[in-house]
Amino acid sequence: MSDLRIIVDHMQFEYKGLFDLNNLFKTVDAWLFERVYEKRTNKNFEENTPTGKFIEWEIASWFKATDYIRNIIKIRMLFYDLKKVEATREKEKAKVTQGRVIMYFDGYIEFDYLHYWDRHPVLQFLRTLYDKFIFKAYTERFEQRLTYDVHQLYELIEKHFNVYRHYRVVTKVPHFAH
Amino acid sequence: MPLKVTDVYDKPGTPTAFIRYKGIWDMQDLYQTMVDWFRRRKFKFYERVYKHKHPSPFGVERQYVWRAERKESEYMQFIVDIYYHIYDAYNVDVVMPDGAKKTMVKGRLWLEFKGNIQYDWEKRWNENVFYAELKNFFNKYILRKKWEQIWFHQLWTREIHGLIALVKERLKMESEGFEHRYKSGVHK
């Protein structure tokens, strides 16, 4: 079994109000596509309920940084009570969505995703030694890169929803603060 | 130790993608669109299972298991497996925006999409253990990069996600759209 470590743990985003839902999915997909992440849709659930539409959308996109390390970004979006309403956007009438949104962002690094070093306990021990001590500086850089990616995506979504946001330089934030 | 069938690396696969939908949809249109998509993409289409269960008080339950195959070369073929489950379904009459009446289905829908590559579909390299070992080596160490860098994208992104995008469009889901459409190249 490969070594899967959680680096960004359950960053959360909540919003209630008006937004453009279809564009949100397209924005996230386009961002992943530009950064050569593979698309993987775990859940794509849509239900019509008496109070409005309920959507659950979960993706776990991955990016093979090397032939040993794979970055995984997992995004889970939950939408409740979605309704289409008319609003004025740039002096033109447009149909937008109104509802409640909760999003969770997780970032994982998977070491040895090709399972070359997990066939024997000794090999696994060597792998752990290598990752934690010999290769430590590189491991931390990969972790930092993943953290940066997740934060950038988070900020992009904040921009999409036009909420108050603050920019944090990820390199200045200690790894345990995420 | 003798080589077992499970040791032979000849069917690498993609992850499974799921769609769940509850609401009203045009079943005839969805079914025809999906089958037509396979036909246009030059797949051989097989409906392997069709189950129509006795209606419960909540509605009808139907299951379909589909398989589509397309031979890419003499050695390799794409396989797309689809599991299609409808439950609590019943017909409703819907008035379209132009005033015409149409019969649609109201219920729940569960779809699973999975893809595989089948190496050596002619089974030329299964005659003896030596051939099987050769095939295993070839698949594992020589073809592996091609699978990871080319064929995986063609099957997963272009074919399976192309079909998923089409289904989402027909169901008029909010997440419709296909940003990864040109990932494996602009020539389809």
Side-chain angles (χ1 to χ4, degrees):
Chain A
M1 208 177 143
S2 57
D3 182 9
L4 190 72
R5 281 188 220 163
I6 187 157
I7 308 298
V8 182
D9 188 10
H10 249 50
M11 264 171 77
Q12 199 173 336
F13 175 85
E14 282 189 42
Y15 178 86
K16 191 178 178 185
L18 297 173
F19 57 97
D20 190 344
L21 182 57
N22 189 248
N23 258 343
L24 172 69
F25 294 125
K26 284 182 179 167
T27 309
V28 174
D29 274 352
W31 186 90
L32 292 167
F33 175 60
E34 283 164 13
R35 277 149 192 81
V36 209
Y37 273 85
E38 297 294 340
K39 189 175 176 174
R40 177 175 180 175
T41 317
N42 283 346
K43 292 177 187 173
N44 197 344
F45 301 166
E46 196 167 319
E47 290 187 12
N48 289 301
T49 62
T51 52
K53 228 175 223 181
F54 163 76
I55 295 174
E56 183 174 356
W57 194 71
E58 187 186 292
I59 55 166
S61 293
W62 75 87
F63 165 68
K64 287 176 183 172
T66 65
D67 60 357
Y68 180 72
I69 284 174
R70 180 159 75 161
N71 294 351
I72 301 167
I73 298 180
K74 194 166 111 184
I75 310 164
R76 185 170 181 230
M77 297 187 188
L78 295 157
F79 302 89
Y80 298 95
D81 308 337
L82 295 180
K83 280 171 194 154
K84 289 275 176 198
V85 291
E86 280 202 345
T88 311
R89 188 167 54 189
E90 291 167 1
K91 294 177 185 172
E92 280 184 12
K93 275 194 174 178
K95 277 201 169 179
V96 291
T97 317
Q98 186 181 34
R100 191 157 61 89
V101 187
I102 304 171
M103 293 182 198
Y104 300 101
F105 299 80
D106 296 287
Y108 301 91
I109 283 191
E110 190 180 4
F111 295 93
D112 187 30
Y113 64 87
L114 290 172
H115 310 288
Y116 285 146
W117 294 85
D118 58 10
R119 286 165 198 161
H120 196 272
V122 176
L123 289 177
Q124 280 193 23
F125 176 68
L126 285 176
R127 182 180 75 187
T128 312
L129 276 185
Y130 187 73
D131 289 339
K132 295 210 167 165
F133 300 102
I134 301 163
F135 204 58
K136 191 182 174 189
Y138 294 99
T139 306
E140 280 174 358
R141 277 180 223 174
F142 282 118
E143 286 175 2
Q144 206 170 54
R145 184 175 172 181
L146 175 71
T147 315
Y148 177 78
D149 276 354
V150 177
H151 278 82
Q152 202 184 25
L153 182 61
Y154 186 86
E155 218 217 344
L156 184 83
I157 286 168
E158 280 184 327
K159 267 185 199 166
H160 181 88
F161 282 95
N162 200 17
V163 294
Y164 289 110
R165 60 188 188 277
H166 57 284
Y167 179 69
R168 286 197 298 173
V169 181
V170 173
T171 49
K172 298 275 168 64
V173 181
H175 69 277
F176 48 81
H178 302 303
Chain B
M1 213 166 102
L3 187 75
K4 289 181 283 183
V5 177
T6 48
D7 296 337
V8 180
Y9 180 83
D10 65 350
K11 212 177 174 190
T14 65
T16 310
F18 306 96
I19 288 181
R20 192 174 78 184
Y21 181 81
K22 184 185 170 190
I24 297 171
W25 73 94
D26 189 343
M27 185 60 207
Q28 185 68 26
D29 175 58
L30 181 68
Y31 190 101
Q32 276 181 351
T33 312
M34 286 173 78
V35 177
D36 192 48
W37 184 88
F38 281 119
R39 191 183 56 77
R40 279 190 287 113
R41 306 288 303 154
K42 308 275 189 280
F43 276 92
K44 280 187 179 168
F45 178 81
Y46 305 103
E47 189 168 84
R48 302 171 84 195
V49 174
Y50 173 83
K51 273 189 205 170
H52 181 100
K53 295 192 180 174
H54 187 73
S56 72
F58 302 106
V60 178
E61 190 175 345
R62 278 191 217 113
Q63 276 172 305
Y64 306 87
V65 177
W66 290 351
R67 170 165 282 193
E69 295 172 356
R70 188 173 74 193
K71 293 176 175 67
E72 296 291 308
S73 68
E74 288 177 345
Y75 188 69
M76 182 266 285
Q77 70 173 355
F78 285 167
I79 298 172
V80 179
D81 286 311
I82 295 174
Y83 174 69
Y84 200 115
H85 195 160
I86 298 162
Y87 46 104
D88 303 348
Y90 53 91
N91 288 347
V92 286
D93 285 331
V94 176
V95 182
M96 305 304 285
D98 61 354
K101 269 193 176 179
K102 203 171 184 184
T103 306
M104 290 193 178
V105 173
K106 187 176 182 184
R108 296 165 184 265
L109 178 66
W110 173 259
L111 286 162
E112 287 178 20
F113 303 83
K114 189 165 172 35
N116 284 302
I117 271 196
Q118 176 76 58
Y119 293 130
D120 187 30
W121 55 270
E122 288 181 315
K123 299 197 171 34
R124 284 182 182 178
W125 297 87
N126 282 357
E127 285 172 11
N128 59 49
V129 176
F130 176 66
Y131 282 180
E133 288 279 13
L134 275 182
K135 181 173 83 169
N136 206 19
F137 179 81
F138 186 63
N139 294 347
K140 255 187 184 171
Y141 301 104
I142 296 169
L143 285 184
R144 187 172 190 142
K145 283 284 169 199
K146 265 198 161 179
W147 156 246
E148 283 178 356
Q149 293 174 2
I150 303 169
W151 296 331
F152 177 82
H153 296 299
Q154 287 180 352
L155 179 61
W156 177 239
T157 315
R158 192 170 71 192
E159 306 299 347
I160 295 178
H161 272 93
L163 179 62
I164 290 171
L166 187 80
V167 170
K168 286 195 286 194
E169 188 195 314
R170 302 319 293 179
L171 293 174
K172 295 184 180 62
M173 288 176 83
E174 295 287 345
S175 56
E176 67 174 307
F178 187 23
E179 293 296 322
H180 287 63
R181 93 176 49 89
Y182 299 127
K183 194 177 176 90
S184 60
V186 289
H187 300 292
K188 286 199 170 183

